[in-house]
Amino acid sequence: MNAEGAVTGHAMRSLRLLLEAYAGCELPQWDLFGTNVRVLRVEPGAVLFRVGEHHPYIYFVQRGLFKAQMPSEGDRMTTVFFPEEGDVLASMSALGSDGVRRVAARGLHPRAETLRAAVEAESTHTITAIEPSLLLRVNYRVIEHLSTQHLQWARLTTTIALMHATTLQADAGWLRSTPEQRYRSLLREHPGLVQRVTQRDLASYLNITDVALSRIAKRVRGEAVPSTPQTPPEPDDLVATTPSLGVVG
């Protein structure tokens, strides 16, 4: 087996372990799924998909780091999360789930107006590689087909959706903190990420300016440096600094 084949084989074994962990069981017709998986190597700056695109693919990040951005005020792109190793990456709105489209199109959800992208099956994010990365990609229709045939695959899709919802809830709580609290939380819980992204992307993620992030980082670094212990004064220094009592003659 050549080196490329070994990498592909290892990636597929890792993917199977991951998906069967999500499903909690062995997944039937794995060969059918495997023949539809494509191995992708992408370089920094490469774009997987853009805002407004129809992109019904799911990616499994084996190695590397990406940034997910979406438009904000003034057509400025804001970084909203950083997909990395172990992440399941997809544009949920672009997957084109029939159930989501039906409910949103009929106005049966209280936020149906904000789900236009899901009705149109369009991506709401642009995903760009930050580091050289290795991904496995499969068309969602393959998983959707297997889910209609096997309970195990249906359980897998449900668990992935629940994981997505759980992370969104955690992010919602995190966003209620101040930018400095969020920065400190990143340093404490995910220090490697801070080292892997640019200051500009990190500032965008925290929704602050580069200058504000520099001030926060400087303050946090200052707290991490132990204070210099005071040297006990020498006896001569004590004499020299003792106030004179004066002599009355």
Side-chain angles (χ1 to χ4, degrees), residues 65-69 79-83 126-130 198 201:
L65 181 67
F66 296 80
K67 60 181 176 182
Q69 296 178 297
T79 302
V80 291
F81 59 97
F82 296 101
T126 293
I127 307 293
T128 307
I130 294 176
T198 65
D201 283 330

Side-chain angles (χ1 to χ4, degrees), residues 174 180-192 194:
W174 185 75
E180 181 166 338
Q181 288 171 331
R182 297 200 298 272
Y183 178 74
R184 290 175 182 274
S185 175
L186 278 177
L187 287 177
R188 183 176 60 254
E189 299 171 7
H190 210 342
V194 177

Side-chain angles (χ1 to χ4, degrees), residues 15-245:
L15 177 59
R16 185 168 190 172
L17 288 173
L18 173 68
L19 297 189
E20 291 186 345
Y22 272 113
C25 58
E26 291 188 4
L27 292 168
Q29 288 194 276
W30 179 261
D31 289 344
L32 172 62
F33 174 80
T35 57
N36 286 278
V37 174
R38 298 292 176 266
V39 179
L40 301 179
R41 294 179 182 273
V42 297
E43 295 301 317
V47 176
L48 293 185
F49 53 85
R50 299 180 186 276
V51 171
E53 287 185 357
H54 297 266
H55 198 82
Y57 295 96
I58 292 182
Y59 296 87
F60 305 95
V61 184
Q62 297 292 302
R63 183 174 68 247
L65 181 67
F66 296 80
K67 60 181 176 182
Q69 296 178 297
M70 61 191 307
S72 58
E73 297 176 5
D75 293 329
R76 181 171 62 91
M77 296 296 285
T78 300
T79 302
V80 291
F81 59 97
F82 296 101
E84 57 183 321
E85 295 90 349
D87 270 329
V88 179
L89 172 61
S91 172
M92 301 299 287
S93 56
L95 292 183
S97 170
D98 289 339
V100 173
R101 282 209 304 270
R102 271 196 308 274
V103 171
R106 296 174 185 176
L108 300 177
H109 191 278
R111 298 180 61 190
E113 288 300 318
T114 65
L115 300 176
R116 183 198 59 79
V119 175
E120 301 295 333
E122 295 177 348
S123 173
T124 57
H125 297 92
T126 293
I127 307 293
T128 307
I130 294 176
E131 299 174 351
S133 303
L134 178 69
L135 304 133
L136 298 179
R137 187 187 78 176
V138 65
N139 194 306
Y140 177 66
R141 300 291 169 256
V142 176
I143 298 178
E144 194 173 43
H145 167 74
L146 288 168
S147 297
T148 63
Q149 305 297 312
H150 304 283
L151 176 63
Q152 296 93 326
W153 283 94
R155 186 181 301 151
L156 165 70
T157 58
T158 298
T159 305
I160 289 177
L162 286 173
M163 178 65 78
H164 178 66
T166 301
T167 56
L168 286 180
Q169 286 184 333
D171 289 346
W174 185 75
L175 287 170
R176 297 176 72 89
S177 305
T178 66
E180 181 166 338
Q181 288 171 331
R182 297 200 298 272
Y183 178 74
R184 290 175 182 274
S185 175
L186 278 177
L187 287 177
R188 183 176 60 254
E189 299 171 7
H190 210 342
L193 179 63
V194 177
Q195 303 300 321
R196 296 170 72 183
V197 302
T198 65
Q199 178 167 303
R200 174 167 295 182
D201 283 330
L202 186 57
S204 176
Y205 180 54
L206 296 172
N207 198 27
I208 55 177
T209 65
D210 292 5
V211 173
L213 176 57
S214 293
R215 286 199 297 264
I216 291 173
K218 183 178 180 180
R219 184 159 54 247
V220 172
R221 284 196 303 269
E223 293 175 2
V225 176
S227 58
T228 304
Q230 296 295 322
T231 303
E234 297 294 330
D236 288 346
D237 295 333
L238 286 173
V239 173
T241 57
T242 301
S244 173
L245 298 178

